[in-house]
Amino acid sequence: MSPGPRAVRLPPLLPLLLCLLLCVLPVAGCGGRPPAAGAERDVRRAVADWSRVPPERLAGIPLEDWAYEVRSVRLDGVRALVRAELRYRLAGYDPAPDGSAREVELAGDGGTWRVLADRPAPGAPRQLWDQGPVSVVRGAHALVLGGAGQDAETLRGIAAEADRAVPAASAAWPRPWAGRVVVLVPGSLERMAELLGRPADAYRGLGAVTTGRVGGGPAPADRVVVNPQGYAELSAAGRRIVLTHEVTHVATRAATSATTPLWLSEGFADWAAYRGGDTTPGQGAPALAREVRQGRLPGELPPDGAFAFGGEPEALARAYEGAWLACRLIAGRWGDAALVALYERAGREPLETALREALGTDPAGLLTAWREALASELRRPPERVR
């Protein structure tokens, strides 16, 4: 008969050793914390301390609320890579903080972390100061920030033109808006493309573009970004028209939404830019006039896709010209106030409803009136500009 089961007793020190072993592992209940957690805390603190004051190279730019909001930390021994969102405001211009995705690299030494590099996060556009020193010129209504390579005379000229553009935009858009604008002037077309995160060819030949989010609510002020090459090739009148067009986009941004047709938003901006001048339809719409004189009247108002950057230049020109003449027609037949009311309604209602309420017509009626105006105004050769 086999003996029954026996209790086995552990040596006195073994339970203590097991307890000590468990307490050095990252499990709850032993009062310890993983070393990586403490390092991440230190990295976050180092980024916060480092970012508390903007770098000296940004002296002169009216920055407020400058802060890096850490999104993630990746540790690799004595190195750390931080993904963060830079938040800042330009005092007197931005009603809400702007944002920029950043990547911050740090090195650790004995528990102390220091920042080695700060750059745009992969895939994020660069900031003007990532391209080198920034020059600052203040106008009455404009803040002009020039990138590396820009000369003071050019920046002062752009500030003066922007100061003229703001009152012109306000006269065309008699609704509340900030009445001031930020203009970025990078050193080259390629550096402009870096700021906007698109290929340089998308902006070749353009004088300037406007960035910003459409719709109401608190949002950072738009930035007018000048293409230094395209802008330099413009006449004095062309520079006035381009900057007034872009500033008008800033003025109307809160009333613009995804439902606003591009022919209306782009046409309104051009109408504001040409308003009060003596440019005739034939002078201001030469590409469209060539088509009309050859018997090719457009069958529809310019669709949104016709305004895409980088397309065929003549087609793009016809889209902008047709949009301008549509808004010019509306202001001439129904009045400036009716055009403004249409713009406001089109940002919150279907276009058919907006046309009926603001103008008392429908899309077919507007299209017929527009085509008749094109045929009447563009079939005769344009007068020579004196």
Side-chain angles (χ1 to χ4, degrees), residues 108-152:
D109 182 13
T112 300
W113 294 88
R114 60 187 179 88
V115 173
L116 300 177
D118 168 32
R119 51 186 173 259
R126 304 185 75 181
Q127 295 291 317
L128 190 65
W129 50 81
D130 291 322
Q131 299 173 340
V134 176
S135 302
V136 181
V137 174
R138 292 175 180 265
H141 306 291
L143 175 69
V144 179
L145 304 180
Q150 278 300 340
D151 61 278

Side-chain angles (χ1 to χ4, degrees), residues 138-164:
R138 292 175 180 265
H141 306 291
L143 175 69
V144 179
L145 304 180
Q150 278 300 340
D151 61 278
E153 182 179 357
T154 297
L155 299 180
R156 286 194 294 268
I158 291 174
E161 197 61 71
D163 278 347
R164 288 187 284 270

Side-chain angles (χ1 to χ4, degrees), residues 100-113:
S100 174
R102 308 293 294 182
E103 185 175 73
V104 183
E105 185 178 352
L106 300 92
D109 182 13
T112 300
W113 294 88

Side-chain angles (χ1 to χ4, degrees), residues 280 283 381-386:
T280 66
Q283 293 166 351
E383 299 176 3
R384 186 185 298 272
V385 180
R386 297 178 180 178

